[in-house]
Amino acid sequence: MHEILTLQLGQRANYLATHFWNLQESYFTYNGQEESPVDHDVHFRPGIGADGSETYTPRTLIYDLKGAFGTLRKNNALYELAEDLAPGQGLWDGKEIRQELVPIPLSDYQKSLDAGSPAPQLSSETVRFWSDYNRVFYHPRSIVQLNDYELNSAIMPFEDWNLGEDLFNELDKEHDLLDRDVRPFAEECDQLRALQIFTSSDDAWGGFTARYVDRLVDEYGKKAVLLWAIEDGRRIHQTAKLKRETNKARSVYSMSPEATMYTPIIDPPSRLPSTIRVDNNSEWYTSALTSIAMESITLPTRLRPYQNFESLLAGDDSTRRIFELQASIVPPAKDHRNVQRQASKQPNKVESCKSGSMVRTEFDLDFTYDSGSNKSHVLNQVQVLRGLEPDDKEEELAEADLGFVRKMRVYKSEPMFHRFHTPLQYPLLDSFPSDMITLSMPENKLSIISALTTSTRTAEKIKNLESVAGRLITVDERENLVNGLGEIRESYETGWISDSDFDDD
């Protein structure tokens, strides 16, 4: 088995991850149904509930601030233990004075799930927390509340990158977070494959994650680290914007060299097609849109048969680790015949190409950059087509050695390209905004083209971060940060040649 352990760090990360887990839960099939193409053991773990029954819960750790979990309880219906009605006498013999916060009432959506009745339609007003549209049960060990800071606090906002770094160091010194939180999940795995991390990179969670990644890489250095770095795409005051830019600079410098994949995600993207409507003030809306691309591009990591997705991200030398996330929703009129044609074909297929003819630069949704991509040079691209077959037929299947394909790419100065396609479409659940997609959707499912791309656009973005860091970062940190960003930027510039290109000379 090739398991993936997920870490969810912060409010925005948990909004996106909740959509992700709802989708994974929807792929389950039961008695009498055809076997799901999704291998659930990749992301879910078996266990035993409080009553001795078998359970199946996400293999994840959920970190958030005090007040951010909403109605989600640490002990749910699967693991709820009876309270000790006659606790032993403690050292304190005096009277106890208990102060309890007023409990947050369950949303109507959660009440319907508990009752097994049809779910009411969700809206921006009814979704108060990410737990309001959550459809899965979590193991009690998955819930980690950080009580040092409170959600949306005006007195102690969790915004400065250094606050997150300091908080992790304090907690790790007191508890050893890897031993307490990560190791119990990791030791349950037969063959831990990767660590998937959802986080925000432009606030204090960036600093918290950077130190966490350091510890994870030290402990699990041979495992892939797939990192989704969420950035707030809404317009804000210039002073707050500059603070976020410095936070992003620190995050890119600290985490992108350590991670196997570092993907900045602008939430929400600045440009939207006319077929998509999003409430930019609702994280439930914007994270749902992001989930379309994010969940689709990672689909090969959990489909049968096993796919070595991480090696496809490596490119020609495994040096460029910052990726762009992009996607397009294919209208039903264009993909209907392709979907029907796939029914009798091999369900999942991955292809490599030694030419750049199928590299795609135009997408309806670009989650990483504000500017267009017409002038960029693509260095590596991994595509996932779900619900449709590729139009071109003259393709070379990836039966050849991957190393040979990479050498040919370097020899011809062409981008590395891999494409994966599957008939499994993206399901629109009742936890998804019902009015976001204006297209006609048969069976409430979407056909998606999604991609992870490395290109020369990354150099331009890092150059902007260098400029901000050079002006705003303190002197004792500035030199290392600016020089480090400069080294990262150089590997994405046209004409850059790595030392590995001369290995055979």
Side-chain angles (χ1 to χ4, degrees), residues 233-234 265-282 285-293 325 327-329 363-371 435-438:
R234 293 170 294 186
I265 298 175
I266 297 176
D267 178 31
S270 58
R271 294 176 291 114
L272 296 175
S274 59
T275 55
I276 294 177
R277 298 172 183 171
V278 174
D279 180 356
N280 287 347
N281 296 318
S282 170
Y285 260 91
T286 59
S287 58
L289 181 62
T290 303
S291 73
I292 293 176
L325 178 64
S328 291
I329 299 174
F363 292 87
D364 294 337
L365 296 166
D366 191 332
F367 293 91
T368 302
Y369 300 114
D370 296 323
S371 60
D435 59 349
M436 177 182 289
I437 311 297
T438 61

Side-chain angles (χ1 to χ4, degrees), residues 109-344:
Y109 184 82
Q110 290 297 326
K111 290 178 181 177
S112 69
L113 292 180
D114 292 342
S117 57
Q121 184 171 303
L122 291 169
S123 67
S124 300
E125 291 74 26
T126 58
V127 176
R128 305 157 299 172
F129 305 92
W130 52 265
S131 58
D132 284 341
Y133 60 94
N134 169 60
R135 296 178 56 90
V136 302
F137 288 118
Y138 298 101
H139 191 279
R141 286 203 311 262
S142 291
I143 310 300
V144 185
Q145 178 172 287
L146 307 181
N147 295 314
D148 300 71
Y149 292 87
E150 191 167 353
L151 181 67
N152 299 327
S153 171
I155 301 174
M156 295 178 61
F158 200 58
E159 296 177 353
D160 192 277
W161 200 89
N162 294 322
L163 289 179
E165 186 178 36
D166 294 339
L167 178 60
F168 178 86
N169 291 334
E170 291 172 7
L171 293 173
D172 193 46
K173 182 178 180 180
E174 182 178 357
H175 301 290
D176 193 331
L177 295 184
L178 259 65
D179 274 345
R180 187 192 71 176
D181 299 338
V182 177
R183 202 175 306 281
F185 284 98
E187 290 180 348
E188 293 175 343
C189 301
D190 293 333
Q191 186 177 343
L192 181 62
R193 167 185 182 176
L195 298 155
Q196 175 177 244
I197 301 175
F198 296 93
T199 188
S200 48
S201 62
D202 58 355
D203 57 15
W205 285 108
F208 188 92
T209 306
R211 300 291 73 81
Y212 215 139
V213 169
D214 286 345
R215 288 294 315 279
L216 291 170
V217 171
D218 287 342
E219 183 70 21
Y220 304 101
K222 295 183 179 180
K223 310 302 179 184
V225 176
L226 309 177
L227 202 153
W228 305 97
I230 305 170
E231 305 171 359
D232 196 333
R234 293 170 294 186
R235 293 184 179 180
I236 54 174
H237 190 271
Q238 183 68 14
T239 303
K241 182 178 180 180
L242 291 175
K243 176 182 284 189
R244 288 182 179 175
E245 291 297 310
T246 58
N247 289 340
K248 284 190 281 187
R250 290 186 173 106
S251 294
V252 170
Y253 168 71
S254 300
M255 290 186 279
S256 66
E258 300 281 357
T260 308
M261 178 200 78
Y262 182 91
T263 306
I265 298 175
I266 297 176
D267 178 31
S270 58
R271 294 176 291 114
L272 296 175
S274 59
T275 55
I276 294 177
R277 298 172 183 171
V278 174
D279 180 356
N280 287 347
N281 296 318
S282 170
E283 292 191 60
W284 170 59
Y285 260 91
T286 59
S287 58
L289 181 62
T290 303
S291 73
I292 293 176
M294 176 267 151
E295 201 273 337
S296 295
I297 193 62
T298 58
L299 198 57
T301 64
R302 50 190 171 273
L303 286 180
R304 301 183 179 96
Y306 167 76
Q307 298 289 341
N308 193 1
F309 182 76
E310 294 76 31
S311 67
L312 305 184
L313 298 174
D316 57 340
D317 56 11
S318 303
T319 299
R320 304 180 186 98
R321 304 182 180 190
I322 302 177
F323 287 81
E324 308 160 25
L325 178 64
Q326 301 148 325
S328 291
I329 299 174
V330 181
K334 294 183 179 181
D335 67 24
H336 178 70
R337 293 183 179 180
N338 287 331
V339 173
Q340 297 298 322
R341 189 166 59 240
Q342 285 188 101
S344 59

Side-chain angles (χ1 to χ4, degrees), residues 436-505:
M436 177 182 289
I437 311 297
T438 61
L439 295 170
S440 173
M441 297 163 289
E443 302 180 353
N444 266 352
K445 295 181 179 180
L446 298 175
S447 295
I448 306 292
I449 300 175
S450 56
L452 284 173
T453 306
T454 57
S455 76
T456 53
R457 285 200 298 172
T458 298
E460 180 182 349
K461 178 146 187 172
I462 296 179
K463 186 176 181 179
N464 293 335
L465 294 179
E466 284 182 73
S467 176
V468 172
R471 290 185 289 115
L472 301 177
I473 299 295
T474 56
V475 176
D476 56 339
E477 184 188 0
R478 183 188 307 156
E479 183 176 358
N480 287 338
L481 181 56
V482 173
N483 290 342
L485 289 173
E487 292 176 4
I488 296 172
R489 169 180 50 80
E490 289 175 357
S491 63
Y492 295 89
E493 293 178 336
T494 304
W496 180 86
I497 302 177
S498 71
D499 293 338
S500 62
D501 295 337
F502 300 98
D503 287 348
D504 297 332
D505 293 347

Side-chain angles (χ1 to χ4, degrees), residues 15 57 62 70 94 96 108 191 239 259 266 268 310 315 318 325 345 383-385 391 400 455 462 490:
Y15 267 93
T57 53
I62 306 173
E96 293 182 355
D108 291 338
Q191 186 177 343
T239 303
I266 297 176
E310 294 76 31
S318 303
L325 178 64
K345 294 190 176 184
Q383 285 184 18
V384 173
L385 280 63
D391 294 332
S455 76
I462 296 179
E490 289 175 357

